[in-house]
Amino acid sequence: MKSNLDLINKCDNFPYYDDDPEAYRKLVSSYYQFSVPTGSKPAGFLLPWVVEKMPWGEDWTVDHDKKLVLLSTKNSQPARPSQQSEVIDETLKQARKIGAFKVLEKWRNELYTIHGPTDLISMERSGSPLFGIVTYGVHMTAYVNTKEGMKIWVPKRAQGKTYGGMLDNTVAGGIATGEQPLECIVREAAEEASFPEELVRSKVRPCGTISYFSFRDERAGGESGLLQPEVQFVYDMEVGPDVIPKPCDDEVEDFRLWTVDEVQGALSQGLFKPNCALLLLDFFIRHGILTAQNEKDYVEIASRLHRKLPFPTATAL
């Protein structure tokens, strides 16, 4: 049986400097820093074997001594963000063409923003873990207050998807370039749960963010060990007993309405997708279900849900 802190450690599994400074410095110094011309901080980390296999063109500077991968231009002049995005896209498409990385086999045709000085540079979603950039998503918990107590709508992920067969948050998805979190949750709610737009806009409530830093495993698709720093925008939506989510796309097999005890039991068995477990712990803290009185690791859990990431994060979305 997994404790709540075990669930945190399973997802937020990138080392912390304070736990072992020497080991942290040794690990981070083995990575290549990915930088854009106008950035003062690295935008992400690349693993050495990724740098070795990536088909870098003449628009890139790869400094093996400084362990730096810099997006540059042929004439050494700063390129427009759109040009930089094109260079990244061409590089990833070439890597896909030659079969350099398994993670690119599931090409999404969806862009993620590289947040930094301009927030105008983007890359193909499936390539984001190769560069270790911060990605952003939305997660919503839909719940019903009944005479028997609170119940939560829990979907089971389709077997053919990443983390196939695991349990998920009611609605979740990645925020594409140019998309606002609220618009994303409205879109995903319709696509995944058949929730009408009017219902979501009138009932959904923003509840902040959570953040964590993960090493990807084989369940995420593609190579294991890639880096995944993430920020999730959190939403709650209380609905009546007459509102029943239904699968609309191929992401979800079914939905079940579970009591809090049933959800906690499934969490302790490790049945939830790792990051979705964190969203539920955050939900339980905010609703007074998980407290300092019933959870010995309460302070550690609450703080670990909001990790400060070592890369630039969005100033606004």
Side-chain angles (χ1 to χ4, degrees):
M1 303 293 279
K2 298 182 183 297
S3 69
N4 289 325
L5 187 56
D6 288 338
L7 297 174
I8 294 284
N9 290 330
K10 184 67 175 177
C11 181
D12 185 42
N13 55 21
F14 192 86
Y16 279 77
Y17 175 84
D18 290 340
D19 290 343
D20 190 334
E22 183 178 350
Y24 181 91
R25 283 193 292 264
K26 183 177 179 181
L27 177 67
V28 171
S29 67
S30 71
Y31 300 145
Y32 283 68
Q33 296 187 7
F34 167 50
S35 296
V36 296
T38 55
S40 58
K41 293 176 62 177
F45 289 151
L46 294 96
L47 301 179
W49 63 264
V50 172
V51 175
E52 182 69 24
K53 295 178 68 175
M54 189 70 72
W56 306 110
E58 58 185 347
D59 289 301
W60 295 92
T61 298
V62 180
D63 189 325
H64 295 289
D65 293 326
K66 295 181 179 179
K67 283 192 163 54
L68 177 68
V69 174
L70 176 65
L71 180 58
S72 56
T73 59
K74 298 172 186 175
N75 59 9
S76 300
Q77 296 299 316
R80 296 190 305 273
S82 60
Q83 292 175 310
Q84 296 174 37
S85 298
E86 289 172 7
V87 170
I88 296 172
D89 189 57
E90 291 169 2
T91 303
L92 288 174
K93 284 180 176 176
Q94 179 62 20
R96 182 191 183 200
K97 182 178 179 180
I98 64 176
F101 306 104
K102 290 191 296 183
V103 73
L104 297 180
E105 292 175 5
K106 292 192 175 181
W107 193 269
R108 304 293 291 268
N109 286 315
E110 182 178 341
L111 295 178
Y112 273 0
T113 299
I114 302 172
H115 290 282
T118 64
D119 286 1
L120 295 176
I121 306 172
S122 300
M123 74 166 58
E124 155 65 27
R125 174 175 176 170
S126 64
S128 61
L130 294 171
F131 285 80
I133 65 168
V134 181
T135 57
Y136 296 78
V138 293
H139 283 241
M140 180 178 76
T141 302
Y143 64 98
V144 185
N145 280 314
T146 72
K147 293 180 180 178
E148 297 79 31
M150 177 186 287
K151 294 185 177 181
I152 297 171
W153 281 110
V154 177
K156 181 179 180 181
R157 294 176 65 84
Q159 290 293 342
K161 295 297 179 179
T162 56
Y163 297 95
M166 300 197 78
L167 302 176
D168 208 325
N169 299 127
T170 315
V171 173
I175 301 175
T177 293
E179 190 172 37
Q180 296 294 313
L182 177 59
E183 301 308 315
C184 183
I185 201 66
V186 169
R187 173 178 59 79
E188 293 286 354
E191 293 176 357
E192 295 185 354
S194 303
F195 283 142
E197 178 179 344
E198 318 82 70
L199 171 74
V200 178
R201 291 192 182 279
S202 64
K203 293 287 189 179
V204 77
R205 183 167 65 91
C207 302
T209 64
I210 71 165
S211 52
Y212 48 86
F213 197 166
S214 301
F215 291 107
R216 287 165 60 102
D217 63 27
E218 67 281 354
R219 297 172 300 174
E223 293 82 356
S224 296
L226 295 175
L227 305 179
Q228 190 96 53
E230 286 195 309
V231 175
Q232 303 291 353
F233 287 79
V234 182
Y235 292 87
D236 288 353
M237 189 170 77
E238 181 179 357
V239 297
D242 57 324
V243 176
I244 301 174
K246 300 179 181 64
C248 184
D249 56 18
D250 60 355
E251 296 284 339
V252 172
E253 284 188 5
D254 59 48
F255 288 87
R256 63 285 308 270
L257 187 60
W258 276 0
T259 65
V260 169
D261 285 344
E262 288 174 315
V263 172
Q264 290 178 320
L267 283 168
S268 69
Q269 295 177 61
L271 299 181
F272 276 88
K273 184 170 175 275
N275 65 336
C276 297
L278 270 59
L279 269 293
L280 284 166
L281 293 179
D282 177 71
F283 179 87
F284 291 154
I285 289 173
R286 291 185 289 99
H287 287 265
I289 296 166
L290 190 66
T291 68
Q293 285 68 48
N294 60 28
E295 172 52 71
K296 64 182 179 63
D297 297 311
Y298 181 81
V299 174
E300 175 77 0
I301 289 168
S303 64
R304 291 278 297 280
L305 290 170
H306 306 283
R307 180 170 186 152
K308 182 173 176 58
L309 300 172
F311 311 115
T313 49
T315 55
L317 280 176

